[in-house]
Amino acid sequence: MFRLFKRISDFVLSLLGLIILSPLFLLLVIMIKLDSKGPILFKQKRVGRHKKHFNILKFRTMRIDTPKDTPTHLLKNPEQWITKVGRFLRKTSLDELPQIINILKGDMSIIGPRPALWNQYDLIEERDKYDCHSLYPGLTGYAQIHGRDELSIIEKAKLDGYYVKHMSLWLDIKIFFGTIFSIFKSEGVVEGGTGTLEEKNKNKVE
């Protein structure tokens, strides 16, 4: 019953969000076009519910010659590929806003595990252990308020699994406002930094 309510509320809230945020969308479109050559939106194949692939939408933050379908943490010196406006968009998570369209289409939910790249086999395999692919992937999720880019693949999957097991309206509200708080503090945003939290803890022990 909650999953049906979740889908209906996703549609209504994303439609309202698209209308209310349309002036911001326009401003970001202008900034991206003035900053660098290339399309405004960036499409990338991701893993959705029941492992069905879909094209996620983002505002483009990287140069058009960036290697495709490569997770940021696997790029050599990822900073070199990011545009000036892109750096701001990624730090504030504004690059994710076009995913409101993915939510309207039914590819995603507002809250859920962040969708893995189609070739992030390690993350996909770990999430299978927790039945994470039974849910629609989210614009933000439980892992995003507990470390985001700093988390290791194993820890990220465990947190996503916790959400699957304890999914509720109260938890969704907690994640939503926790995400806003994290964005304002720029917590967990580390370019090329998957697993850096684990590395920090290891260094403390040493």
Side-chain angles (χ1 to χ4, degrees):
M1 191 66 181
F2 176 68
R3 294 195 182 195
L4 177 60
F5 167 77
K6 188 174 170 68
R7 177 59 202 140
I8 294 172
S9 61
D10 279 339
F11 181 83
V12 174
L13 291 174
S14 58
L15 182 59
L16 286 173
L18 196 60
I19 295 170
I20 294 170
L21 295 173
S22 55
L24 177 59
F25 269 72
L26 180 59
L27 176 62
L28 295 178
V29 165
I30 294 171
M31 288 172 63
I32 293 167
K33 291 303 291 183
L34 291 176
D35 181 50
S36 61
K37 294 181 180 179
I40 296 163
L41 294 178
F42 171 69
K43 296 181 181 179
Q44 194 175 54
K45 189 161 68 172
R46 297 284 181 122
V47 179
R49 190 185 183 204
H50 303 316
K51 296 190 192 177
K52 182 180 178 181
H53 291 163
F54 72 98
N55 286 322
I56 198 172
L57 300 175
K58 292 188 175 190
F59 281 125
R60 182 177 58 82
T61 61
M62 291 185 153
R63 292 166 16 201
I64 56 176
D65 58 338
T66 304
K68 294 182 179 180
D69 290 329
T70 303
T72 306
H73 69 277
L74 294 181
L75 288 173
K76 185 176 181 181
N77 187 16
E79 289 285 350
Q80 69 175 310
W81 304 104
I82 302 172
T83 64
K84 291 178 181 178
V85 169
R87 193 168 290 111
F88 165 74
L89 293 176
R90 291 166 79 96
K91 187 174 182 180
T92 57
S93 295
L94 289 173
D95 61 316
E96 312 285 359
L97 283 182
Q99 286 158 50
I100 292 175
I101 298 170
N102 286 120
I103 297 170
L104 274 172
K105 289 173 59 183
D107 295 327
M108 295 176 63
S109 178
I110 294 173
I111 308 294
R114 282 295 297 162
L117 273 167
W118 67 273
N119 58 357
Q120 280 185 291
Y121 304 116
D122 50 355
L123 179 57
I124 295 168
E125 186 178 349
E126 281 296 317
R127 282 178 168 171
D128 277 339
K129 298 176 183 178
Y130 304 100
D131 199 28
C132 294
H133 297 109
S134 65
L135 302 181
Y136 288 103
L139 179 62
T140 186
Y142 194 62
Q144 276 56 56
I145 62 172
H146 287 87
R148 197 173 170 178
D149 297 332
E150 294 181 324
L151 296 170
S152 67
I153 294 297
I154 293 174
E155 189 60 33
K156 190 177 292 184
K158 282 183 180 178
L159 290 167
D160 290 332
Y162 177 91
Y163 178 75
V164 174
K165 190 174 180 180
H166 299 90
M167 186 172 59
S168 66
L169 177 59
W170 167 244
L171 185 55
D172 277 14
I173 292 171
K174 180 181 177 181
I175 292 169
F176 181 80
F177 286 103
T179 299
I180 294 174
F181 182 73
S182 296
I183 289 172
F184 276 114
K185 291 189 68 178
S186 297
E187 288 182 342
V189 182
V190 182
E191 298 300 345
T194 293
T196 52
L197 190 60
E198 184 179 48
E199 191 64 33
K200 285 179 185 176
N201 292 333
K202 192 184 296 182
N203 291 336
K204 284 181 182 178
V205 174
E206 292 175 352

